[in-house]
Amino acid sequence: MTFDVRRFDIYRKVPKDLTQPTYTGAFISVCCCVFMLFLFLSELTGFIATEIVNELYVDDPDKDSGGKIDVSLNISLPNLHCDLVGLDIQDEMGRHEVGHIDNSMKVPLNNGHGCRFEGEFSINKVPGNFHVSTHSATAQPQSPDMTHIIHKLAFGEKLQVQHVQGAFNALGGANRLQSNALASHDYILKIVPTVYEDLGGKQRFSYQYTVANKEYVAYSHTGRIIPAIWFRYDLSPITVRYTERRQPFYRFITTICAIIGGTFTVAGIIDSCIFTASEAWKKIQIGKMS
């Protein structure tokens, strides 16, 4: 007794003598191939591309930072001598540092009449402020000119990721050269922790921030005007998280199978309808002739 495994063939073949090729069927077949190729390339592009998903949650993401945030500041004061420019830092934990000089550099501008201050320092994760002023100068000038341009103010690691448009340097390009020379400037910052995780699981910790500012003339207890550029900051409890993701391979294969099967099914229905209508029309014409 022999057993024919061909009984289990669910893909039965239609005999060639029962099939009838038509120009319409050929046209539909070509259109199907072009359409499937287009959908396949679209899905392949989507599968290769990286998707960035963002979410919000309440937490301190960088717990290994020791409660510190790195700050990078680059500011130009074209009408204030470098000997007068200083950075002061203070916060609610009792820190009060006047004339911070670590990891900082002063570059003379306008033949020594101005100064560009570049500095990198750290602040505690508590409300506080840092400000550029003449407070640390040996002798206070009579009329310090605090007009300025902020080139950069950034917190945490630098993120240069495509498709992530965040306010990581919201004050970059701020121009106050037309302001009152003796005015103080207050920049009120709300710092938002930001985490970026790539496909390999590596995390980078940065901070975005929103800013509001005001300008005013401040007098000391002696009646003198001592202007400064203040950056007052507070931290948001909300963390923004960006995660790189890629479409799973099984979903890509499922979509490709759906494209092929669906295209052939729809094309077969269209071809069958056209063929049936064509045959019916031919019979009507033959009936009229007879």
Side-chain angles (χ1 to χ4, degrees), residues 43 50 69 72 87 89 91 114 120 149 155 159 208 226 263 274 281:
E43 285 297 321
T50 301
I69 300 176
S72 179
L87 176 69
I89 307 172
D91 60 34
E120 294 184 356
I149 299 176
F155 300 87
L159 289 182
Q208 303 181 61
I226 305 179
T263 303
I274 294 175
W281 177 255

Side-chain angles (χ1 to χ4, degrees), residues 25 35 65 86 91 99 110 122 129 153 161 163-164 170 197:
F35 184 65
S65 64
D91 60 34
N110 299 335
S122 63
N129 73 79
L153 176 60
V161 183
H163 306 307
V164 175
E197 183 176 338

Side-chain angles (χ1 to χ4, degrees), residues 3-290:
F3 182 76
D4 190 359
V5 295
R6 288 180 295 178
R7 293 181 179 180
F8 295 96
D9 185 4
I10 61 176
Y11 303 102
R12 300 297 178 89
K13 309 301 183 293
V14 179
K16 291 185 178 181
D17 57 345
L18 297 180
T19 61
Q20 181 178 348
T22 62
Y23 287 108
T24 304
F27 176 75
I28 294 176
S29 298
V30 172
C31 290
C32 284
C33 292
V34 174
F35 184 65
M36 284 190 297
L37 179 62
F38 169 75
L39 293 181
F40 172 77
L41 294 177
S42 300
E43 285 297 321
L44 182 61
T45 302
F47 174 71
I48 295 175
T50 301
E51 179 187 10
I52 299 179
V53 180
N54 63 78
E55 58 182 335
L56 304 176
Y57 61 94
V58 178
D59 193 14
D60 178 12
D62 192 8
K63 296 182 175 62
D64 297 329
S65 64
K68 303 287 186 180
I69 300 176
D70 294 328
V71 184
S72 179
L73 175 64
N74 188 331
I75 184 172
S76 292
L77 297 93
N79 301 309
L80 193 64
H81 196 277
C82 281
D83 291 341
L84 302 174
V85 176
L87 176 69
D88 309 328
I89 307 172
Q90 55 189 15
D91 60 34
E92 293 185 359
M93 291 183 68
R95 181 181 183 183
H96 191 178
E97 185 176 350
V98 179
H100 179 88
I101 58 175
D102 294 339
N103 298 319
S104 62
M105 177 176 63
K106 299 178 184 179
V107 181
L109 302 174
N110 299 335
N111 297 320
H113 296 291
C115 185
R116 185 174 80 244
F117 179 87
E118 300 178 17
E120 294 184 356
F121 53 97
S122 63
I123 57 176
N124 295 315
K125 290 184 177 180
V126 295
N129 73 79
F130 51 91
H131 52 276
V132 178
S133 67
T134 62
H135 298 165
S136 62
T138 304
Q140 293 296 315
Q142 290 297 323
S143 300
D145 188 336
M146 301 305 291
T147 55
H148 60 278
I149 299 176
I150 301 175
H151 306 290
K152 178 182 179 183
L153 176 60
F155 300 87
E157 297 183 55
K158 185 178 181 180
L159 289 182
Q160 286 185 329
V161 183
Q162 193 176 10
H163 306 307
V164 175
Q165 304 296 330
F168 297 99
N169 186 23
L171 275 174
N175 189 322
R176 300 293 182 267
L177 294 181
Q178 304 303 320
S179 301
N180 182 355
L182 296 177
S184 290
H185 300 266
D186 255 10
Y187 295 101
I188 315 301
L189 312 178
K190 191 66 157 182
I191 302 176
V192 181
T194 304
V195 184
Y196 188 89
E197 183 176 338
D198 60 21
L199 288 173
K202 181 180 179 182
Q203 293 184 339
R204 282 178 283 176
F205 302 95
S206 186
Y207 296 84
Q208 303 181 61
Y209 62 93
T210 58
V211 58
N213 68 285
K214 63 180 179 178
E215 180 181 326
Y216 58 94
V217 177
Y219 295 87
S220 68
H221 62 281
T222 60
R224 292 183 56 187
I225 300 176
I226 305 179
I229 305 170
W230 297 81
F231 301 93
R232 307 181 192 274
Y233 61 87
D234 193 6
L235 273 79
S236 169
I238 302 297
T239 295
V240 180
R241 183 185 187 91
Y242 296 98
T243 307
E244 288 186 354
R245 293 180 183 175
R246 184 168 288 168
Q247 180 181 342
F249 184 69
Y250 71 85
R251 185 177 299 174
F252 172 70
I253 295 297
T254 302
T255 305
I256 296 302
C257 293
I259 289 173
I260 296 174
T263 303
F264 273 118
T265 301
V266 174
I269 294 173
I270 294 174
D271 181 61
S272 178
C273 292
I274 294 175
F275 181 77
T276 302
S278 176
E279 290 297 313
W281 177 255
K282 288 179 181 179
K283 291 181 180 179
I284 293 174
Q285 294 298 319
I286 292 174
K288 287 182 179 179
M289 292 177 61
S290 60

